[in-house]
Amino acid sequence: VLVYLYWLKLDKLLKNTELSIADIADAVGYENSHSYSKAFKQKYGITPNSYRYNYSPTKKTMAQNNE
């Protein structure tokens, strides 16, 4: 259960904040953004930046408004 909650927190921070990847890594206990990005990519198959771009509701809304 704790692991699920941990990844859920990461998901929410990426989708719903403008925090940098380094700030998110720090907030969840990683020593640096590289370690965080590597673990994230192993779990999801994409980088945190790509995940944020593809799944953030804010990014989708902005893209739809520009069409």
Side-chain angles (χ1 to χ4, degrees):
V1 173
L2 291 178
V3 173
Y4 171 76
L5 293 174
Y6 170 81
W7 287 103
L8 184 62
K9 180 179 181 180
L10 291 176
D11 179 73
K12 286 185 177 187
L13 288 172
L14 281 170
K15 287 181 180 176
N16 301 316
T17 71
E18 295 293 325
L19 291 173
S20 69
I21 300 303
D23 288 341
I24 292 172
D26 186 53
V28 297
Y30 278 88
E31 283 188 33
N32 58 59
S33 60
H34 178 73
S35 296
Y36 164 68
S37 293
K38 185 176 177 180
F40 189 94
K41 188 169 182 175
Q42 283 182 317
K43 173 126 177 101
Y44 291 103
I46 60 174
T47 65
N49 280 326
S50 295
Y51 184 88
R52 174 179 269 170
Y53 181 80
N54 290 322
Y55 298 106
S56 172
T58 305
K59 299 279 185 191
K60 286 182 182 177
T61 302
M62 288 170 51
Q64 289 172 348
N65 289 339
N66 290 330
E67 291 180 351

